[in-house]
Amino acid sequence: MLRLSLALACLLAPPAYAQMRLAEGELPLGLVDARLLPGWTDAAGNRIAALELVLEPGWKTYWRSPGDSGLPPSFAWDGSDNLAGVVFHWPAPEAISSGGAQELGYHEHLVLPFTASPTDAALPLTLHSQIELGLCDNICVPAQLDLSAPPPGTLPDSRIKAAMADTPRLVEDLPECRIDAIEDGLRVEMALPSETPELAAIEVEGKPDLWVSGAEIEMRADGPVAVAEMVGPEAAPFPLDPSALRLTVVSADDAVESFGCRLSP
C-alpha cells in the first residue's frame, strides 16, 4: 500500500505534540533529569562524553530513525569552543509504542555517547549543546534543552563505556537487497542476518530530505526480510545508490548493523 499521504504528513509535521510554555530552568514534561556527562579526553585529544536523560516512569524518547512519525533528536553546538565535529554512538534501540504505532527509541533512561573532535588537540574543548527531541507517554511533548558539559574527568566514565558497549556491532558481509520503484518513491527489501529478528531499521545516508517508513519484518521461506518505503520531495521514483543504505537489526541477544547491500540478480 502506498504511503504518500502519511509520508507527506510526516515531512510537514511531527506527531501531535502538546505545546507548553516552560519557566526558565524548568524541565519539559516527562523528564526527571537531563545533562551532558563530562566524560574524558582520549589519547588523540578527542572528548568522549554523553547526553544523559532520565524520564518519568512510562515515558519514552526516540532513536535517530524512529519510524513512520517519531521525532528524532537534533543537536546544535553553538557556544562550544574548539569543536570540529561530533560523532554519536547510538545504543541499540528498543520497540516503543507511540500513538498506537510501534516506533524505535528508549524507555525511561538514555545515555547517548558521542565523540567530540577538537579543532586543535593542544587546546581545551568545551561543549555546549542545544537539543530538540520528542518525549512520549499518552501524549507527546517537544523538549528543548540547552546544556553545557562540565570539564572532562581524568578517567573513563563507566556509564558511558557501558552505553558504548550496547551499540550494534558492525558486520562487513553485505546483505542482499532489492530496490523497486513505486508510484511515489521506492520500496526497499533487505535480507536480515538474524533468523529471529525483533526489530529492524533501514536508513539512507546523506539524504535528510527523504521520508523513510519504519521497516516491517517479513518471514519468508529463504529467511527474514526488512521492507521499507521511501518518498522524496518530488513524490516520485528516484535513483538510489545501494551503498548509501544502512541496516540495523536487533534480536534478543544481539544487535548488528551494516552499510551498503548487494542487489539481488
Side-chain angles (χ1 to χ4, degrees), residues 27-78:
L27 285 170
L29 183 65
L31 268 183
V32 176
D33 192 17
R35 56 182 171 162
L36 293 180
L37 297 176
W40 67 96
T41 302
D42 68 13
N46 298 311
R47 181 87 171 266
I48 313 300
L51 168 67
E52 182 178 36
L53 301 177
V54 181
L55 288 76
E56 296 279 1
W59 282 76
K60 293 89 62 177
T61 191
Y62 292 111
W63 187 55
R64 65 170 185 255
S65 181
D68 289 351
S69 58
L71 182 66
S74 63
F75 296 81
W77 298 95
D78 299 341

Side-chain angles (χ1 to χ4, degrees), residues 59-205:
W59 282 76
K60 293 89 62 177
T61 191
Y62 292 111
W63 187 55
R64 65 170 185 255
S65 181
D68 289 351
S69 58
L71 182 66
S74 63
F75 296 81
W77 298 95
D78 299 341
S80 300
D81 290 324
N82 194 32
L83 178 63
V86 172
V87 175
F88 288 96
H89 310 288
W90 292 86
E94 307 161 356
I96 63 173
S97 177
S98 176
Q102 178 178 289
E103 307 283 2
L104 299 180
Y106 307 96
H107 294 87
E108 299 183 4
H109 185 221
L110 169 65
V111 174
L112 174 57
F114 58 86
T115 298
S117 302
T119 303
D120 184 342
L123 297 176
L125 191 163
T126 63
L127 295 170
H128 189 87
S129 185
Q130 303 77 43
I131 305 163
E132 296 185 2
L133 67 162
L135 305 169
C136 285
D137 185 21
N138 296 322
I139 61 170
C140 291
V141 296
Q144 296 180 339
L145 305 172
D146 195 284
L147 303 174
S148 294
T154 57
L155 296 174
D157 186 324
S158 60
R159 294 165 296 179
I160 298 177
K161 292 183 68 177
M164 294 180 74
D166 195 33
T167 59
R169 61 183 179 87
L170 181 65
V171 293
E172 296 185 359
D173 290 340
L174 298 183
E176 283 199 356
C177 63
R178 180 184 176 97
I179 302 174
D180 293 311
I182 56 177
E183 182 178 334
D184 53 353
L186 299 177
R187 173 185 168 95
V188 176
E189 301 180 0
M190 299 186 75
L192 302 183
S194 170
E195 292 298 318
T196 55
E198 296 184 350
L199 301 171
I202 298 174
E203 302 168 82
V204 183
E205 299 289 296

